[in-house]
mmCIF file of all heavy atoms in Angstrom:
data_model
loop_
_atom_site.group_PDB
_atom_site.id
_atom_site.type_symbol
_atom_site.label_atom_id
_atom_site.label_comp_id
_atom_site.label_asym_id
_atom_site.label_seq_id
_atom_site.Cartn_x
_atom_site.Cartn_y
_atom_site.Cartn_z
ATOM 1 N N LYS A 512 52.263 2.440 11.575
ATOM 2 C CA LYS A 512 52.147 1.475 10.364
ATOM 3 C C LYS A 512 52.209 0.002 10.984
ATOM 4 O O LYS A 512 51.467 -0.903 10.472
ATOM 5 C CB LYS A 512 53.197 1.667 9.424
ATOM 6 C CG LYS A 512 52.931 2.892 8.525
ATOM 7 C CD LYS A 512 54.041 3.082 7.483
ATOM 8 C CE LYS A 512 53.690 4.270 6.558
ATOM 9 N NZ LYS A 512 54.730 4.495 5.542
ATOM 10 N N ALA A 513 52.981 -0.147 11.947
ATOM 11 C CA ALA A 513 53.077 -1.489 12.677
ATOM 12 C C ALA A 513 51.621 -1.878 13.254
ATOM 13 O O ALA A 513 51.259 -3.054 13.205
ATOM 14 C CB ALA A 513 54.080 -1.527 13.652
ATOM 15 N N LEU A 514 50.931 -0.911 13.874
ATOM 16 C CA LEU A 514 49.634 -1.164 14.386
ATOM 17 C C LEU A 514 48.666 -1.634 13.203
ATOM 18 O O LEU A 514 47.986 -2.566 13.397
ATOM 19 C CB LEU A 514 49.082 0.166 14.998
ATOM 20 C CG LEU A 514 47.675 0.107 15.362
ATOM 21 C CD1 LEU A 514 47.487 -0.794 16.616
ATOM 22 C CD2 LEU A 514 47.117 1.487 15.762
ATOM 23 N N LEU A 515 48.704 -0.843 12.141
ATOM 24 C CA LEU A 515 47.861 -1.351 11.000
ATOM 25 C C LEU A 515 48.263 -2.689 10.441
ATOM 26 O O LEU A 515 47.346 -3.633 10.214
ATOM 27 C CB LEU A 515 48.054 -0.287 9.841
ATOM 28 C CG LEU A 515 47.734 1.206 10.204
ATOM 29 C CD1 LEU A 515 47.953 2.087 8.857
ATOM 30 C CD2 LEU A 515 46.348 1.284 10.584
ATOM 31 N N ARG A 516 49.600 -3.005 10.355
ATOM 32 C CA ARG A 516 50.037 -4.243 9.714
ATOM 33 C C ARG A 516 49.704 -5.466 10.725
ATOM 34 O O ARG A 516 49.278 -6.366 10.132
ATOM 35 C CB ARG A 516 51.484 -4.179 9.563
ATOM 36 C CG ARG A 516 52.089 -5.375 8.811
ATOM 37 C CD ARG A 516 53.612 -5.256 8.804
ATOM 38 N NE ARG A 516 54.122 -4.193 7.934
ATOM 39 C CZ ARG A 516 54.685 -3.132 8.460
ATOM 40 N NH1 ARG A 516 54.928 -2.970 9.768
ATOM 41 N NH2 ARG A 516 55.113 -2.201 7.689
ATOM 42 N N SER A 517 49.608 -5.201 12.020
ATOM 43 C CA SER A 517 49.322 -6.241 12.855
ATOM 44 C C SER A 517 47.881 -6.649 12.819
ATOM 45 O O SER A 517 47.510 -7.794 13.367
ATOM 46 C CB SER A 517 49.778 -5.798 14.348
ATOM 47 O OG SER A 517 48.916 -4.807 14.765
ATOM 48 N N HIS A 518 46.992 -5.893 12.151
ATOM 49 C CA HIS A 518 45.671 -6.179 12.171
ATOM 50 C C HIS A 518 45.142 -6.357 10.703
ATOM 51 O O HIS A 518 44.021 -6.074 10.334
ATOM 52 C CB HIS A 518 44.780 -5.105 12.806
ATOM 53 C CG HIS A 518 44.932 -5.101 14.417
ATOM 54 N ND1 HIS A 518 44.582 -6.249 15.160
ATOM 55 C CD2 HIS A 518 45.524 -4.276 15.235
ATOM 56 C CE1 HIS A 518 44.774 -5.965 16.380
ATOM 57 N NE2 HIS A 518 45.455 -4.832 16.497
ATOM 58 N N GLY A 519 46.084 -6.795 9.877
ATOM 59 C CA GLY A 519 45.838 -7.285 8.548
ATOM 60 C C GLY A 519 45.757 -6.188 7.415
ATOM 61 O O GLY A 519 45.203 -6.488 6.320
ATOM 62 N N ILE A 520 46.193 -4.963 7.754
ATOM 63 C CA ILE A 520 46.129 -3.936 6.674
ATOM 64 C C ILE A 520 47.503 -3.973 5.994
ATOM 65 O O ILE A 520 48.607 -4.025 6.575
ATOM 66 C CB ILE A 520 45.916 -2.515 7.321
ATOM 67 C CG1 ILE A 520 44.508 -2.439 7.803
ATOM 68 C CG2 ILE A 520 46.112 -1.460 6.257
ATOM 69 C CD1 ILE A 520 44.087 -1.069 8.522
ATOM 70 N N ALA A 521 47.451 -3.893 4.678
ATOM 71 C CA ALA A 521 48.738 -4.051 3.774
ATOM 72 C C ALA A 521 49.438 -2.720 3.948
ATOM 73 O O ALA A 521 48.992 -1.717 3.616
ATOM 74 C CB ALA A 521 48.213 -4.253 2.366
ATOM 75 N N VAL A 522 50.725 -2.899 4.464
ATOM 76 C CA VAL A 522 51.587 -1.719 4.620
ATOM 77 C C VAL A 522 53.006 -2.203 4.019
ATOM 78 O O VAL A 522 53.383 -3.324 4.290
ATOM 79 C CB VAL A 522 51.719 -1.279 6.026
ATOM 80 C CG1 VAL A 522 52.737 -0.113 6.121
ATOM 81 C CG2 VAL A 522 50.404 -0.935 6.655
ATOM 82 N N ALA A 523 53.599 -1.395 3.193
ATOM 83 C CA ALA A 523 54.847 -1.717 2.579
ATOM 84 C C ALA A 523 55.923 -1.964 3.678
ATOM 85 O O ALA A 523 55.892 -1.404 4.702
ATOM 86 C CB ALA A 523 55.288 -0.619 1.673
ATOM 87 N N GLU A 524 56.951 -2.796 3.292
ATOM 88 C CA GLU A 524 58.050 -3.072 4.178
ATOM 89 C C GLU A 524 58.784 -1.650 4.441
ATOM 90 O O GLU A 524 59.023 -0.888 3.574
ATOM 91 C CB GLU A 524 59.106 -4.031 3.607
ATOM 92 C CG GLU A 524 60.233 -4.402 4.448
ATOM 93 C CD GLU A 524 61.196 -5.379 3.796
ATOM 94 O OE1 GLU A 524 61.096 -5.499 2.495
ATOM 95 O OE2 GLU A 524 62.107 -5.772 4.448
ATOM 96 N N GLU A 525 59.304 -1.521 5.628
ATOM 97 C CA GLU A 525 60.086 -0.253 6.053
ATOM 98 C C GLU A 525 61.161 -0.641 7.033
ATOM 99 O O GLU A 525 60.865 -1.638 7.817
ATOM 100 C CB GLU A 525 59.148 0.859 6.460
ATOM 101 C CG GLU A 525 58.313 0.346 7.555
ATOM 102 C CD GLU A 525 57.058 1.279 7.809
ATOM 103 O OE1 GLU A 525 56.881 2.144 6.945
ATOM 104 O OE2 GLU A 525 56.294 0.955 8.719
ATOM 105 N N ILE A 526 62.127 0.247 7.134
ATOM 106 C CA ILE A 526 63.192 -0.054 8.108
ATOM 107 C C ILE A 526 63.461 1.222 8.867
ATOM 108 O O ILE A 526 63.664 2.314 8.176
ATOM 109 C CB ILE A 526 64.503 -0.574 7.405
ATOM 110 C CG1 ILE A 526 64.301 -1.950 6.759
ATOM 111 C CG2 ILE A 526 65.641 -0.631 8.437
ATOM 112 C CD1 ILE A 526 65.515 -2.400 6.039
ATOM 113 N N LEU A 527 63.489 1.187 10.157
ATOM 114 C CA LEU A 527 63.807 2.244 11.026
ATOM 115 C C LEU A 527 65.459 2.376 11.099
ATOM 116 O O LEU A 527 65.994 1.387 11.551
ATOM 117 C CB LEU A 527 63.156 2.324 12.276
ATOM 118 C CG LEU A 527 63.558 3.357 13.339
ATOM 119 C CD1 LEU A 527 63.122 4.750 12.805
ATOM 120 C CD2 LEU A 527 62.892 3.060 14.635
ATOM 121 N N VAL A 528 65.992 3.406 10.722
ATOM 122 C CA VAL A 528 67.469 3.637 10.757
ATOM 123 C C VAL A 528 67.824 4.618 11.861
ATOM 124 O O VAL A 528 67.318 5.688 11.775
ATOM 125 C CB VAL A 528 68.037 4.034 9.444
ATOM 126 C CG1 VAL A 528 69.551 4.264 9.519
ATOM 127 C CG2 VAL A 528 67.609 3.053 8.312
ATOM 128 N N THR A 529 68.486 4.204 12.908
ATOM 129 C CA THR A 529 68.787 5.177 13.974
ATOM 130 C C THR A 529 70.351 5.670 13.949
ATOM 131 O O THR A 529 70.661 6.589 14.631
ATOM 132 C CB THR A 529 68.644 4.502 15.278
ATOM 133 O OG1 THR A 529 69.394 3.256 15.477
ATOM 134 C CG2 THR A 529 67.119 4.120 15.465
ATOM 135 N N ASP A 530 71.159 5.096 12.981
ATOM 136 C CA ASP A 530 72.481 5.495 12.924
ATOM 137 C C ASP A 530 72.832 5.298 11.539
ATOM 138 O O ASP A 530 72.500 4.321 10.803
ATOM 139 C CB ASP A 530 73.381 4.536 13.833
ATOM 140 C CG ASP A 530 74.808 5.176 13.833
ATOM 141 O OD1 ASP A 530 75.642 4.746 12.926
ATOM 142 O OD2 ASP A 530 75.039 5.852 14.820
ATOM 143 N N PRO A 531 73.659 6.286 10.922
ATOM 144 C CA PRO A 531 74.086 6.188 9.580
ATOM 145 C C PRO A 531 74.853 4.940 9.150
ATOM 146 O O PRO A 531 75.027 4.576 8.011
ATOM 147 C CB PRO A 531 74.894 7.506 9.289
ATOM 148 C CG PRO A 531 75.223 7.885 10.618
ATOM 149 C CD PRO A 531 74.181 7.517 11.563
ATOM 150 N N SER A 532 75.482 4.381 10.187
ATOM 151 C CA SER A 532 76.316 3.142 9.822
ATOM 152 C C SER A 532 75.433 1.967 9.339
ATOM 153 O O SER A 532 75.960 0.932 8.805
ATOM 154 C CB SER A 532 77.089 2.656 11.182
ATOM 155 O OG SER A 532 76.079 2.337 12.179
ATOM 156 N N GLU A 533 74.177 2.134 9.515
ATOM 157 C CA GLU A 533 73.152 1.044 9.189
ATOM 158 C C GLU A 533 72.775 1.197 7.716
ATOM 159 O O GLU A 533 72.105 0.278 7.146
ATOM 160 C CB GLU A 533 71.868 1.053 9.990
ATOM 161 C CG GLU A 533 72.177 0.946 11.501
ATOM 162 C CD GLU A 533 71.003 1.290 12.381
ATOM 163 O OE1 GLU A 533 69.857 1.387 11.849
ATOM 164 O OE2 GLU A 533 71.124 1.531 13.540
ATOM 165 N N LEU A 534 73.123 2.191 7.084
ATOM 166 C CA LEU A 534 72.609 2.592 5.696
ATOM 167 C C LEU A 534 73.088 1.597 4.613
ATOM 168 O O LEU A 534 72.453 1.332 3.598
ATOM 169 C CB LEU A 534 72.873 3.961 5.262
ATOM 170 C CG LEU A 534 72.148 5.097 6.116
ATOM 171 C CD1 LEU A 534 72.687 6.468 5.850
ATOM 172 C CD2 LEU A 534 70.596 4.934 5.859
ATOM 173 N N GLY A 535 74.333 1.038 4.850
ATOM 174 C CA GLY A 535 74.814 0.149 3.831
ATOM 175 C C GLY A 535 73.981 -1.090 3.771
ATOM 176 O O GLY A 535 73.746 -1.673 2.761
#
Side-chain angles (χ1 to χ4, degrees):
K512 288 183 175 176
L514 172 67
L515 302 178
R516 188 183 294 110
S517 69
H518 291 292
I520 293 178
V522 180
E524 182 185 13
E525 55 200 358
I526 297 177
L527 175 64
V528 180
T529 58
D530 189 275
S532 63
E533 303 167 15
L534 292 172

